[in-house]
Amino acid sequence: NAGVTQTPKFRVLKTGQSMTLLCAQDMNHEYMYWYRQDPGMGLRLIHYSVGEGTTAKGEVPDGYNVSRLKKQNFLLGLESAAPSQTSVYFCASGPAAQETQYFGPGTRLLVL
Amino acid sequence: GQNIDQPTEMTATEGAIVQINCTYQTSGFNGLFWYQQHAGEAPTFLSYNVLDGLEEKGRFSSFLSRSKGYSYLLLKELQMKDSASYLCAVMDSNYQLIWGAGTKLIIKP
């Protein structure tokens, strides 16, 4: 039981490049989330999903897109990376809206 | 607006007790969570309070007062491995978590 896994662990991008971050969970959770964590700030919700085939915007969705084609996977895409997107990205999953969220190990992204 | 406040940093001694406070102003309330985050790692769940009062779990306890918009996390018999950031998060009326910036706890021998 791996829990929540994220790929890659670390990435360096140049401004304007695109990339996809992959999140996978093996706990059969309906809800999945993408957050970013920046120094001195709380985690901020980018997008989330309440089930396979659904996505919704969070607090800071601009510049990101997501897809949830399979229940166990939640992808976060950056179409044209900007230095402001340098951050640590965490994926989380949970069985229901009001339940505890379980986090992946994070992806550290540096945009030059 | 929605706001979660907690101290930026605290220092305590191994074996002692420390209390980390969290105050909040959110649109709605569906529970308060505490997470622990070691440097470079993922947040891990510690406790959940939805009703007023104290929840005890081993060396860790969490208290909630909804009328005061206040919670604290109490850590007893501090160990060096407790050096970490402690994140307070409130679930709002949309069942989204609003996070504080975290309290970095430094344990000294």
Side-chain angles (χ1 to χ4, degrees), chain A residues 3 6 8 25 30 43 48 59-62 68 70 75 82 102:
Chain A
Q6 293 183 232
Q25 53 97 2
E30 289 293 336
L43 288 158
Y48 64 101
E59 180 188 354
V60 289
D62 293 343
R68 182 109 180 261
K70 292 183 178 180
L75 278 64
Y102 298 90

Side-chain angles (χ1 to χ4, degrees), chain B residues 15-59:
Chain B
I17 299 172
V18 71
Q19 177 175 311
I20 301 174
N21 296 326
C22 171
T23 59
Y24 64 89
Q25 286 182 303
T26 56
S27 54
F29 180 84
N30 281 300
L32 186 144
F33 294 79
W34 284 96
Y35 280 76
Q36 180 190 60
Q37 185 177 27
H38 285 100
E41 297 184 8
T44 56
F45 171 74
L46 284 178
S47 69
Y48 171 69
N49 295 71
V50 67
L51 299 176
D52 291 352
L54 188 68
E55 293 281 341
E56 298 187 81
K57 192 184 290 186
R59 294 189 298 115

Side-chain angles (χ1 to χ4, degrees), chain A residues 33 35 37 40-43 45 48 57-59 90 97-105 108, chain B residues 30 33 35 37 39-45 48 87 91 94-102:
Chain A
Y33 309 84
Y35 291 93
Q37 187 175 42
M41 301 180 71
L43 288 158
L45 183 64
Y48 64 101
K57 294 180 180 179
E59 180 188 354
F90 285 102
Q98 68 273 33
E99 299 285 341
T100 300
Q101 295 179 18
Y102 298 90
F103 284 78
R108 283 148 186 80
Chain B
N30 281 300
F33 294 79
Y35 280 76
Q37 185 177 27
E41 297 184 8
T44 56
F45 171 74
Y48 171 69
L87 313 181
M91 186 161 282
N94 294 319
Y95 293 98
Q96 292 186 8
L97 283 176
I98 310 301
W99 295 82

